[in-house]
Amino acid sequence: PWTWNPVQGGDWKGRGAPVLELVHGTNWLRSKSIPVHWAAGTDVTNCVMEQSITLTGRVAHVRFRFTCQGGETHPVADQEIPAVFVEPDLDTLVLYDGDRPWTGGALHRSRPGWPNEARRMTEHWAAYVDAAGFGLGAYVPAATNLTCYRFGDGDAKRGACSYFAPLTRFAITPDFRWEYDLWLTLGTVEEIRAAFDRLHRGKR
């Protein structure tokens, strides 16, 4: 029942996307690949997905680019920018969803269920943390909403995970190109928020 859905990582059966280029240095990596249709498992040969990753301290800056040569027009839909999957012991989703972003307001904590749930993230970031408050956060300035869920519980189910995806909406048209930035970091909730606050204020 899935719609047209090109994915950088491969299809639902685990078939990886063909890699066109993979180069790296001491603290950076760049890749270029042909996406795979998530449901059909076929290569989407008129499209290319590129990413560059630069690591500075505990912050990874990821730049994504999607290009589509020719092809059909696909209607406006939610787009994951990107899909974030972490181990299920990171079970608490933390974000700011208030009307005064970047003022130190109280954070919202929840334990998403199954299937997808919706959240606002008005500081453009969210994090999954464990019982000790340590985890991974993602900051995406282009997104103010996300979808999230948790599947399974610990090792009880194969594929158990915690998931969220910052969202944007656009149509994909012939000769389409779109880029966005993502920052990832590890730490306590306070460290994650402080790192993203510095990025927001341009103190990179």
Side-chain angles (χ1 to χ4, degrees):
W2 287 85
T3 60
W4 188 77
N5 189 15
V7 177
Q8 183 183 22
D11 70 8
W12 72 280
K13 292 182 179 180
R15 175 179 174 263
V19 176
L20 301 175
E21 179 183 82
L22 182 64
V23 293
H24 64 87
T26 303
N27 68 331
W28 62 271
L29 181 147
R30 186 174 70 249
S31 71
K32 181 185 296 186
S33 58
I34 297 172
V36 173
H37 190 301
W38 173 253
T42 53
D43 296 344
V44 185
T45 55
N46 64 315
C47 297
V48 173
M49 290 183 171
E50 301 172 70
Q51 69 175 3
S52 62
I53 307 172
T54 304
L55 183 65
T56 304
R58 291 169 65 173
V59 177
H61 176 201
V62 190
R63 179 115 181 122
F64 290 97
R65 176 184 299 143
F66 173 73
T67 55
C68 186
Q69 300 290 326
E72 302 175 352
T73 295
H74 299 276
V76 174
D78 286 335
Q79 312 288 348
E80 297 174 313
I81 56 169
V84 178
F85 291 90
V86 296
E87 293 295 321
D89 59 321
L90 302 179
D91 60 0
T92 301
L93 182 66
V94 183
L95 50 80
Y96 179 78
D97 60 357
D99 296 324
R100 299 185 63 201
W102 308 112
T103 60
L107 296 171
H108 180 270
R109 289 171 167 81
S110 63
R111 200 169 188 267
W114 173 267
N116 292 61
E117 301 175 6
R119 301 282 192 278
R120 294 176 71 212
M121 53 171 201
T122 51
E123 288 185 349
H124 313 290
W125 67 271
Y128 265 119
V129 299
D130 62 15
F134 186 91
L136 178 139
Y139 170 52
V140 184
T144 56
N145 295 285
L146 62 76
T147 184
C148 58
Y149 62 69
R150 278 179 39 79
F151 176 76
D153 192 7
D155 294 327
K157 290 186 179 180
R158 182 175 179 269
C161 65
S162 296
Y163 153 91
F164 71 84
L167 298 176
T168 190
R169 289 178 62 82
F170 54 76
I172 297 174
T173 56
D175 300 320
F176 179 84
R177 175 171 170 157
W178 201 75
E179 300 181 8
Y180 74 95
D181 291 281
L182 156 74
W183 285 266
L184 298 164
T185 193
L186 298 170
T188 64
V189 172
E190 294 75 19
E191 291 168 337
I192 290 169
R193 193 183 202 184
F196 294 154
D197 182 75
R198 288 192 294 272
L199 289 166
H200 167 71
R201 298 177 192 282
K203 299 176 181 179
R204 302 178 185 179

